[in-house]
Amino acid sequence: MKRTLLAVASVLVGLATCFGAAAPTAAQQRAPQPNIIYILADDLGWADVGFHGSDILTPNIDELAKTGARLEQFYVQPMCTPTRAALMTGRYPLRYGLQTLVIPASLSYGLPNDEWLLPQALKEAGYTTAIVGKWHLGHAKREFWPKQRGFDYQYGAQLGEIDYFTHSVHGKLDWYRDNKPVNEKGYVTSLLGDDAVRFIDAQNATKPFFMYLAFTAPHTPYQAPQEYIEKYRQISDPNRRIYAAMITAMDDQIGRVVKALEKKGLLQNTIIIFHSDNGGNQSAHLAGETEVKGPLPASNGPYRGGKGDLYEGGTRVASLVNWPDRIKPGTIVDQMMHVVDYYPTLAKLAGASLGKSKPLDGYDMWPTISDGKTSPRDEVVYNVEMFRGAVRKGDWKLVWRTTLPSKVELFNLAQDPYEKTNLAAENPEKVAELQKRIDGLAAEMSKSQLLSEVFKGVTKELTGRPPALPDEDAFYEQVD
């Protein structure tokens, strides 16, 4: 009887194998797609988080860094719009004309529509996609808006800077939900946290989601609720006091997002990414629409320069990635990574196709983050414009200002990460090599959309106007 039963079982197993009844499908074998929450701060200084030693309170960000991976050589573009474009496209902004400054409120260009964006790729892979926060990749035409670029849901500002309480700039409201203006009260940072939590609470656990949570904090204007400002009574400088309050307010909302994931049972399979869009601002003329009186409060620690600069202080930012199921707590990645790398990295983890994207500048960095493998990246292009450029190859970095008087600076970042010693004179061959690389990138570069629009405006303003000669009567009445 025992032999008979074993024989029958063997036949049934064989039939099941032949007809596929017991064989797992590809979908069953594949790990579930991770949820992705991509958190971007605005003008946050490298040294203004707790895990880099700041006295500003960021316990929730610090916990994500402690239980995940700190990326200590993570690079972005030196300004807001270019970094956001690089994230969305996986391509350097010089490829499509967004390499210069940001998109001003008065101009009408945007991220070109022939670029295939990360949310579009993830949406095709079955993700629900949402942007909660700042866009700043085109506002004058609806074709540039997030809902038209792959996001199922949108809430927040289209422009680069708004008042934190009135949600407006120059008296015009810039606050939308799904393309429709929203008049509501509240502090911008808190409203974004509220909406992010609502979005998480509404998700179906069987369908993955991508939420781009783009805070405006701590960008100007320096504004915060009084209860947060009171936490920093010991800081004498008013700008630094409010700036610190803005960062802690943002940190509290990030904590709420993590708790919402825990409550929903989604935290273990959610990738959380955090970094700033550029270094902390140290130049008054880059503070935006708001006039800032007194010293600027951001600190980039030992790194040279800040927002707008091609030095490390403008481009190397505080960054982390956390995924409880897949990243070992306390991981430190001290290898080069650039924001363009997140496009291919996340697309691969999500099972998304890259077939519709243009040639990427990014690399899949997951083996480096999760397993400590050597980074595939040996070069960082800080930026290339018609008047300046900077590139790093290995440990060598060249910063080249081409406008007169021109200036060439060469640094060895392994020996001098704070860019104190210019080695250009001692290393002419290395200078020539990196200049050739920058010049080659410049040959591939698209025209700056900003400079093109400004030039058109200047030409229009000057053409057809009468000559600026002195008034004739007054002129001839003058006495020598």
Side-chain angles (χ1 to χ4, degrees):
M1 177 64 71
K2 184 177 180 180
R3 281 196 293 270
T4 301
L5 290 172
L6 287 171
V8 171
S10 178
V11 171
L12 290 173
V13 169
L15 289 171
T17 301
C18 291
F19 291 101
T25 66
Q28 289 171 328
Q29 290 176 327
R30 188 173 60 238
Q33 293 167 294
N35 303 306
I36 303 165
I37 296 182
Y38 202 113
I39 305 173
L40 203 62
D42 198 340
D43 287 6
L44 175 70
W46 183 91
D48 292 327
V49 291
F51 70 84
H52 279 164
S54 178
D55 58 351
I56 296 175
L57 303 175
T58 57
N60 296 295
I61 295 171
D62 298 343
E63 183 65 18
L64 289 171
K66 179 181 176 181
T67 58
R70 288 168 47 177
L71 310 179
E72 294 300 323
Q73 292 191 56
F74 184 81
Y75 289 96
V76 295
Q77 300 301 118
M79 294 286 282
C80 163
T81 291
T83 291
R84 293 161 200 269
L87 166 63
M88 289 292 122
T89 63
R91 290 158 43 82
Y92 292 128
L94 65 91
R95 307 285 186 201
Y96 38 83
L98 289 183
Q99 67 272 52
T100 303
L101 296 177
V102 300
I103 302 176
S106 60
L107 297 186
S108 60
Y109 65 93
L111 179 59
N113 288 316
D114 59 353
E115 294 289 335
W116 185 249
L117 307 191
L118 178 61
Q120 293 174 302
L122 293 175
K123 187 173 180 177
E124 278 201 346
Y127 277 70
T128 299
T129 58
I131 175 172
V132 177
K134 171 178 169 177
W135 178 235
H136 210 186
L137 289 175
H139 55 270
K141 302 173 184 176
R142 284 181 182 253
E143 66 192 60
F144 293 138
W145 289 17
K147 283 279 287 182
Q148 281 65 44
R149 307 305 298 271
F151 286 103
D152 297 309
Y153 173 75
Q154 176 272 331
Y155 174 74
Q158 307 288 1
L159 292 164
E161 173 188 349
I162 58 173
D163 185 283
Y164 282 82
F165 294 101
T166 67
H167 319 151
S168 62
V169 58
H170 295 308
K172 186 172 179 62
L173 182 72
D174 180 25
W175 201 244
Y176 296 85
R177 178 177 280 112
D178 287 339
N179 290 2
K180 297 178 181 179
V182 178
N183 281 289
E184 60 184 347
K185 294 181 179 180
Y187 182 62
V188 162
T189 303
S190 300
L191 291 174
L192 296 179
D194 290 345
D195 210 72
V197 169
R198 277 195 295 269
F199 176 80
I200 292 168
D201 289 344
Q203 297 313 297
N204 185 327
T206 63
K207 184 176 173 64
F209 66 84
F210 166 63
M211 178 169 66
Y212 176 37
L213 177 53
F215 287 102
T216 57
H219 193 293
T220 52
Y222 297 131
Q223 298 172 325
Q226 192 60 37
E227 63 265 29
Y228 282 101
I229 298 174
E230 286 296 315
K231 293 176 185 286
Y232 294 99
R233 289 191 301 270
Q234 76 281 7
I235 298 178
S236 59
D237 177 67
N239 286 343
R240 178 72 179 177
R241 187 187 313 131
I242 299 172
Y243 172 83
M246 296 169 76
I247 293 171
T248 296
M250 175 177 65
D251 183 82
D252 279 354
Q253 299 310 314
I254 292 171
R256 292 182 62 213
V257 166
V258 173
K259 287 180 181 177
L261 291 169
E262 288 178 323
K263 183 178 178 181
K264 193 83 174 180
L266 299 174
L267 182 61
Q268 293 303 113
N269 193 40
T270 298
I271 302 170
I272 301 175
I273 296 162
F274 172 84
H275 65 84
S276 180
D277 61 349
N278 45 249
N281 185 26
Q282 297 181 343
S283 300
H285 70 280
L286 295 178
E289 303 284 342
T290 305
E291 181 183 0
V292 178
K293 297 180 180 179
L296 290 161
S299 172
N300 296 311
Y303 292 110
R304 180 178 177 181
K307 177 181 179 178
D309 290 327
L310 298 178
Y311 301 118
E312 298 294 288
T315 55
R316 188 190 294 213
V317 295
S319 179
L320 66 88
V321 55
N322 186 293
W323 188 3
D325 270 357
R326 303 285 294 277
I327 295 177
K328 183 180 178 182
T331 297
I332 296 179
V333 180
D334 197 17
Q335 300 188 65
M336 281 186 283
M337 183 173 174
H338 191 278
V339 65
V340 294
D341 296 327
Y342 269 124
Y343 190 118
T345 301
L346 294 176
K348 186 171 183 180
L349 291 171
S353 170
L354 298 177
K356 292 184 179 180
S357 64
K358 293 186 177 182
L360 299 180
D361 291 305
Y363 296 90
D364 175 14
M365 294 294 295
W366 182 241
T368 301
I369 295 170
S370 62
D371 299 325
K373 300 280 182 67
T374 301
S375 171
R377 175 173 290 285
D378 69 344
E379 177 187 82
V380 167
V381 177
Y382 293 80
N383 204 20
V384 176
E385 302 171 78
M386 63 186 294
F387 52 89
R388 66 175 185 168
V391 67
R392 173 182 175 181
K393 191 77 172 178
D395 292 331
W396 290 98
K397 174 181 178 179
L398 186 80
V399 180
W400 183 13
R401 187 181 71 193
T402 60
T403 50
L404 298 178
S406 63
K407 186 177 183 180
V408 175
E409 295 173 286
L410 181 71
F411 306 103
N412 186 309
L413 293 181
Q415 301 170 2
D416 179 25
Y418 311 135
E419 300 169 295
K420 293 181 178 180
T421 305
N422 182 3
L423 301 175
E426 297 90 338
N427 297 274
E429 292 182 359
K430 182 59 68 175
V431 169
E433 174 194 335
L434 296 179
Q435 282 185 321
K436 183 178 179 181
R437 175 59 176 149
I438 291 173
D439 209 33
L441 288 163
E444 303 171 6
M445 171 175 75
S446 294
K447 289 182 179 179
S448 164
Q449 294 193 65
L450 171 67
L451 296 181
S452 295
E453 282 219 13
V454 168
F455 182 74
K456 288 177 185 176
V458 170
T459 303
K460 184 178 180 181
E461 178 69 18
L462 297 179
T463 302
R465 298 184 67 182
L469 292 171
D471 177 80
E472 290 186 6
D473 293 335
F475 177 76
Y476 287 114
E477 288 173 2
Q478 290 178 358
V479 178
D480 291 336

